[in-house]
Amino acid sequence: MSKYTYLKTAQHERVAHIEIHRPAQRNALNEELVQELEAALMAADQDPGTSVIVLSGNEKAFAAGADIGRMAEWDFHDVFLSDYVTRHWESARTLRKPLIAAICGYAIGGGCELAMMCDVVVAGVSAKFGQPEVKIGTLPGMGGTQRLPRAIGKAKAMEWCLSGNFYSAAEAEKAGLVSRVVADDAVLDTAFELAQQMAGYSLPVLMMIKESLGRAFESSLSEGLLFERRVFHASFALQDQKEGMNAFVERRPPAFHHR
């Protein structure tokens, strides 16, 4: 029996799978669900037997925003003092291991913002993305106005946030938000194939690459290049670097030990 109320979890060799499971509410994000998600993500990130994490919803929704019914009566005092959408809600952003989103159906509002915290986004043709908060008298509060322009550019991000429209998986891929679009029934298989491929490489190197790419969004080019160079140099302290390069020279598959 799962220890979570709103999640299903499974382990596939070195790939952890976390499924958001609140189907009656189209996987709308509430505080309880997000606390569980934080716990599951942190557990996978700290598990030495896990290299990559796949996060999915169901065939109808990845996550259809936050729980508006609960939020409707809150005031500034409620959200400010509780630090709403700060504690627990940003946990996906702090992971050191690669996080792949596998998305069918709705990924709107908070669901779209959660997808943007993931490293790779595999979307089914049914996927719908958007930041419709303007339609209910507020604005994105979980990174939508900050991560979206970094992902798709200022002009498109302005249109998305100011219109509140929904956008197809094909439009999201063209804009740069989505890594690839596949048939709905191939989304999980594609995500797991990518995850298993990544998990076959050295875990420390995966983490180094993710950290270096993340630095590109949070520093100047010169500082990012310096960071990349130092991490590249540091990789030569790894046993896996010796194994990988020797295997290449010897024309054999490498046997990485994640050290």
Side-chain angles (χ1 to χ4, degrees), residues 35-236:
Q35 287 186 39
E36 289 190 354
L37 182 58
E38 178 183 48
L41 289 171
M42 292 299 106
D45 204 45
Q46 294 164 14
D47 176 13
T50 295
S51 288
V52 183
I53 306 164
V54 173
L55 178 63
S56 69
N58 56 39
E59 68 279 2
K60 294 183 179 179
F62 175 69
D67 196 336
I68 305 303
R70 206 180 259 192
M71 296 166 60
E73 300 304 319
W74 292 349
D75 59 21
F76 174 80
H77 177 274
D78 297 319
V79 295
F80 182 72
L81 289 187
S82 68
D83 209 11
Y84 182 57
V85 297
T86 304
R87 292 179 302 111
H88 312 302
W89 293 72
E90 290 269 310
S91 56
R93 182 181 65 85
T94 67
L95 299 181
R96 301 185 71 196
K97 296 175 181 176
L99 177 62
I100 299 175
I103 298 176
C104 289
Y106 291 104
I108 58 175
C112 187
E113 290 166 308
L114 178 59
M116 285 189 279
M117 293 184 205
C118 298
D119 302 307
V120 175
V121 178
V122 177
V125 293
S126 71
K128 296 289 185 185
F129 298 86
Q131 298 294 161
E133 290 85 354
V134 68
K135 294 181 177 180
I136 57 170
T138 188
L139 65 151
M142 207 169 104
T145 66
Q146 303 304 302
R147 292 191 180 95
L148 194 60
R150 287 168 167 81
I152 68 175
K154 176 186 173 183
K156 284 189 178 295
M158 284 285 189
E159 179 187 328
W160 281 41
C161 293
L162 294 174
S163 72
N165 291 337
F166 294 168
Y167 298 87
S168 69
E171 290 171 306
E173 181 186 32
K174 184 177 179 181
L177 184 65
V178 166
S179 310
R180 64 173 74 180
V181 178
V182 299
D184 284 353
D185 59 6
V187 169
L188 271 179
D189 285 345
T190 302
F192 278 117
E193 285 171 10
L194 278 171
Q196 293 288 5
Q197 180 183 4
M198 294 175 191
Y201 303 136
S202 167
L203 175 58
V205 173
L206 292 177
M207 296 166 72
M208 287 175 170
I209 292 171
K210 173 171 174 170
E211 189 172 9
S212 296
L213 283 166
R215 185 59 64 99
F217 291 94
E218 298 179 8
S219 64
S220 65
L221 177 59
S222 60
E223 287 300 315
L225 288 169
L226 178 61
F227 182 86
E228 176 192 76
R229 200 67 36 79
R230 292 295 176 257
V231 175
F232 169 67
H233 292 163
S235 74
F236 282 74

